Amino acid sequence: MNQSGVPEPRIEYAPKHYICKRAKEPLVLDGRVDKAFWEAADWTDDFVDIEGDLRPKPGKQTKVKMLWDDDYFYFAAELMEDQIWATLTERDSVIFYDNDFEIFIDPDGDSHQYYEFEINALNTVWDLLLVKPYRDGGPPVNGWDISGLKTAVHIDGELNTPGADNRKWSVEVAIPWTSLKECAEGNRPPAPGEFWRVNFSRVEWQTEVQDGKYCKVLNPETGKPFPEDNWVWSPMGIINMHYPELWGYVVFSEDETLQSFELPEDERIKWELRKLYYRERNYYETHGEFTQDVKLLMGEESWSCSPVIETTRSLFQITAPSSDGTAVICIREDGKLWKE
């Protein structure tokens, strides 16, 4: 197993949620988000810094819409921008080396086997499957492609043209359920009323104009570009998107009047088990062994669950009863979470 520690996010557990309504017509993609297809969808809250309130709010607005039907999960993103540029043209390049827009999807919420999608202003994409987060030793499967993927980008301004009257760029993405259901519970699309864990990220580099071209601003002390900004829908409390347990909740609905979502109590229990997972992993990094001392890991905080820890020399499993007492929720040393 990966025996490294796992930094605990510095954030209150309050993921964003979004009611995803059904599309009323087929989508003809052109990258524009100001058309009839998207009128039924609400905008998400504006993106914030990946660390949430620990950092200033982004200087450029980003927001997203979502819809669904029997065939696709639809996304529209609008990114306000006065410097619209991109360089990468080959599929499955590391797209975040450009400014980009990213989608993360964990269908069953177990933090394993989830999807990442990135796109730049040239409509170049990188799609990959993560067997498990990097913190848990999970390799990315770069060879995985979204079969039937549809994308489009619209530029409100001029691409790669410093001095142009740039206002924004926008993205449309249609991902077929035939690809997404691979990692979903029961290998099927969501049913009305179910939720998937989803988040979005926007990578923004500091740039300047040299010889008529946009270039990343270099840190004179290192000779390398300054770190990129990461702006997200649901804040992470840590500069790492690969904490799926902190992504937002997207509820798939056929009820056009549904406006709110109440977090199920079992999701709170899962979060408490996740915090114990962080602390158990960090204990191992310091002491070279896992501990069965629940009180030591729980500290002085208030908890709603009553966990039990089982350990071996290299493994652990933490369990707690579900909110209704009919099942047990479990998490193990590689972060896999499930109910039995």
Side-chain angles (χ1 to χ4, degrees):
M1 62 158 265
N2 185 346
Q3 298 177 344
S4 63
V6 178
E8 187 170 341
R10 297 177 295 164
I11 195 169
E12 179 184 355
Y13 190 68
K16 300 282 188 177
H17 71 269
Y18 183 91
I19 308 300
C20 185
K21 302 173 184 176
R22 285 191 68 93
K24 297 181 179 180
E25 59 187 273
L27 174 61
V28 178
L29 286 81
D30 59 7
R32 302 186 69 100
V33 299
D34 56 351
K35 56 194 177 194
F37 178 87
W38 291 109
E39 288 179 358
D42 296 321
W43 286 111
T44 62
D45 293 336
D46 291 349
F47 284 22
V48 297
D49 188 87
I50 192 170
E51 294 186 88
D53 292 339
L54 298 174
R55 301 278 295 171
K57 292 183 178 180
K60 299 175 182 179
Q61 184 188 53
T62 314
K63 55 186 179 180
V64 171
K65 289 186 173 188
M66 289 170 267
L67 289 170
W68 70 302
D69 61 19
D70 290 341
D71 300 312
Y72 291 95
F73 194 178
Y74 299 105
F75 304 89
E78 183 178 79
L79 302 87
M80 306 306 294
E81 182 60 82
D82 58 346
Q83 297 180 324
I84 305 176
W85 63 274
T87 63
L88 300 169
T89 59
E90 184 176 347
R91 182 167 183 156
D92 289 341
S93 301
V94 182
I95 299 299
F96 65 77
Y97 289 163
D98 285 348
N99 287 352
D100 78 353
F101 171 71
E102 304 177 359
I103 303 171
F104 296 83
I105 304 173
D106 182 6
D108 60 6
D110 67 353
S111 83
H112 284 203
Q113 294 183 309
Y114 59 88
Y115 308 109
E116 179 177 353
F117 169 87
E118 303 185 5
I119 187 169
N120 67 7
L122 280 167
N123 198 24
T124 309
V125 305
W126 181 20
D127 47 0
L128 61 159
L129 183 151
L130 281 296
V131 176
K132 60 180 76 172
Y134 297 108
R135 68 189 180 199
D136 298 309
V141 183
N142 283 306
W144 179 82
D145 286 334
I146 302 173
S147 178
L149 173 70
K150 298 180 181 180
T151 65
V153 171
H154 174 72
I155 306 295
D156 189 353
E158 297 181 49
L159 181 65
N160 293 329
T161 308
D165 183 19
N166 293 323
R167 290 167 292 278
K168 61 187 176 183
W169 60 291
S170 54
V171 176
E172 289 182 305
V173 180
I175 305 180
W177 298 119
T178 50
S179 287
L180 292 178
K181 70 180 184 179
E182 178 180 349
C183 294
E185 184 175 356
N187 299 116
R188 59 170 176 79
E194 294 180 341
F195 58 77
W196 284 15
R197 305 301 300 273
V198 177
N199 211 352
F200 306 98
S201 175
R202 173 181 178 176
V203 168
E204 184 82 5
W205 295 90
Q206 296 182 42
T207 58
E208 60 185 359
V209 178
Q210 294 183 3
D211 300 324
K213 297 180 180 180
Y214 291 119
C215 300
K216 294 176 183 175
V217 178
L218 301 182
N219 183 335
E221 296 182 0
T222 65
K224 298 179 180 180
F226 283 102
E228 73 279 12
D229 286 317
N230 295 272
W231 302 333
V232 305
W233 170 47
S234 194
M236 306 293 291
I238 188 170
I239 305 176
N240 188 338
M241 286 301 296
H242 294 275
Y243 277 57
E245 61 270 20
L246 290 167
W247 298 349
Y249 290 85
V250 173
V251 183
F252 298 94
S253 177
E254 290 184 331
D255 181 357
E256 295 187 6
T257 65
L258 183 64
Q259 297 293 328
S260 62
F261 167 72
E262 184 174 347
L263 188 68
E265 186 58 34
D266 278 358
E267 294 301 301
R268 295 284 182 191
I269 295 173
K270 290 177 183 179
W271 172 242
E272 292 188 351
L273 292 181
R274 180 67 61 180
K275 290 198 295 183
L276 294 174
Y277 147 85
Y278 300 144
R279 296 172 189 185
E280 187 73 272
R281 285 279 295 270
N282 292 332
Y283 185 93
Y284 188 99
E285 184 179 48
T286 301
H287 300 280
E289 62 181 4
F290 295 119
T291 179
Q292 295 185 18
D293 189 340
V294 175
K295 292 183 178 180
L296 175 66
L297 297 182
M298 296 175 79
E300 300 299 322
E301 300 171 44
S302 176
W303 298 72
S304 62
C305 71
S306 300
V308 174
I309 302 176
E310 301 173 87
T311 67
T312 69
R313 293 177 60 186
S314 59
L315 307 172
F316 73 78
Q317 181 169 301
I318 308 174
T319 59
S322 62
S323 57
D324 62 6
T326 63
V328 175
I329 302 172
C330 313
I331 194 168
R332 67 190 189 201
E333 73 286 338
D334 68 351
K336 173 81 170 180
L337 191 149
W338 72 98
K339 183 186 288 189
E340 60 183 34

